[in-house]
Amino acid sequence: MSLYLFLNIASFLIPFLYSFEKRMKYSKRWKVIFPSLIITALFFIIWDIIFTKMGVWSFNPRYHSGIEFFGLPIEEWLFFICIPYASIFIHFSFQYFLPNVGLSDTTVKKIYWFLMILIVSVTVLNFDKWYTFVNFSVFILVLTIAVFKFPTILKTYFITFLIILIPFLIVNGILTGSFIDEPVVFYNNDENLSIRLGTIPVEDVGYAFTMLLMSLVLMKIMERKNESI
């Protein structure tokens, strides 16, 4: 088994098994979880294919199976289901066990405007770096939609994302070269800020934030449609 495949399965397995836990009943959300994950995955996979062809990043054949579709290892395709599934499980577990913990509307707006000032400035100043510019532009768009259309999501997501960052830093750290001889994923530093959290490009934090938030927004849209039927 390739290292990349192992990381996908290990990340997915425990949340999947706990999805049948009788109290939280996470499996009952599958009718909106999986469609949301798939739609989000399609967006990010297209982005991934384009950036791989452009040389913004590449994959180390030493650590994947060698099975590829459109230039991406099969493990990369699985990443966009396994990792978000596990991460969103953490989000909803937090909401279930700590239902009264959340940020106020005012705090959500303050965090939003702080992030906008910071991220917009970085994006404008680094328009020539593909990963930085595209990544943070999508971050700005998705976060703005969430703030003004689905603010209740952010009352807990701003908190749960900090928790999700713990396993994220471990898994993504390995993918970018921590604890192993070579990275699983190589990044072209000409296309990013060259600022690393250990071995992780700082842009990856925004990438993960956007990917998960997009799925949560799509879930909310689907839930509202189901309620109106």
Side-chain angles (χ1 to χ4, degrees):
M1 181 185 296
S2 73
L3 174 61
Y4 199 174
L5 181 60
F6 173 79
L7 290 172
N8 279 325
I9 293 173
S11 300
F12 177 79
L13 188 58
I14 293 177
F16 177 75
L17 293 176
Y18 270 96
S19 297
F20 303 97
E21 197 268 340
K22 293 182 179 179
R23 293 175 297 169
M24 201 170 85
K25 299 178 181 177
Y26 187 62
S27 59
K28 288 194 172 182
R29 294 181 179 265
W30 282 359
K31 63 183 179 180
V32 293
I33 289 174
F34 281 112
S36 300
L37 292 184
I38 290 169
I39 293 170
T40 302
L42 287 174
F43 174 83
F44 279 87
I45 284 170
I46 292 170
W47 175 356
D48 205 340
I49 291 169
I50 294 170
F51 269 26
T52 300
K53 287 184 177 180
M54 291 174 60
V56 176
W57 52 55
S58 60
F59 303 93
N60 190 340
R62 177 180 176 183
Y63 294 114
H64 65 76
S65 62
I67 302 171
E68 296 184 355
F69 298 96
F70 299 99
L72 302 183
I74 186 65
E75 292 88 346
E76 181 75 354
W77 290 73
L78 291 173
F79 172 91
F80 292 106
I81 298 297
C82 295
I83 303 304
Y85 183 90
S87 300
I88 291 173
F89 176 83
I90 294 172
H91 173 78
F92 283 114
S93 296
F94 180 92
Q95 286 189 327
Y96 179 81
F97 290 106
L98 297 169
N100 297 318
V101 178
L103 303 175
S104 67
D105 290 331
T106 301
T107 302
V108 167
K109 286 290 181 67
K110 286 181 179 178
I111 294 173
Y112 168 74
W113 286 114
F114 170 77
L115 290 173
M116 284 301 102
I117 293 169
L118 176 64
I119 300 302
V120 169
S121 300
V122 172
T123 304
V124 170
L125 292 172
N126 293 277
F127 66 91
D128 58 331
K129 300 179 185 298
W130 276 109
Y131 187 27
T132 304
F133 181 77
V134 174
N135 183 38
F136 288 150
S137 294
V138 177
F139 175 98
I140 291 165
L141 176 62
V142 174
L143 180 56
T144 299
I145 292 171
V147 164
F148 291 101
K149 295 292 185 179
F150 308 95
T152 54
I153 295 174
L154 295 167
K155 289 183 178 182
T156 49
Y157 182 60
F158 276 139
I159 300 172
T160 57
F161 183 71
L162 297 177
I163 301 170
I164 292 166
L165 271 178
I166 298 171
F168 163 80
L169 290 172
I170 296 171
V171 172
N172 210 42
I174 296 172
L175 291 176
T176 53
S178 297
F179 318 116
I180 56 178
D181 295 336
E182 299 174 344
V184 177
V185 183
F186 294 107
Y187 286 83
N188 179 355
N189 285 335
D190 291 336
E191 305 296 350
N192 61 56
L193 294 173
S194 298
I195 298 172
R196 302 260 175 162
L197 303 174
T199 56
I200 303 168
V202 70
E203 287 90 346
D204 277 10
V205 175
Y207 188 92
F209 183 95
T210 305
M211 179 171 60
L212 300 178
L213 182 56
M214 185 182 294
S215 295
L216 290 172
V217 166
L218 289 170
M219 286 179 61
K220 183 64 70 174
I221 292 171
M222 291 179 190
E223 287 172 346
R224 288 181 179 178
K225 286 186 176 181
N226 291 338
E227 289 171 0
S228 64
I229 295 175

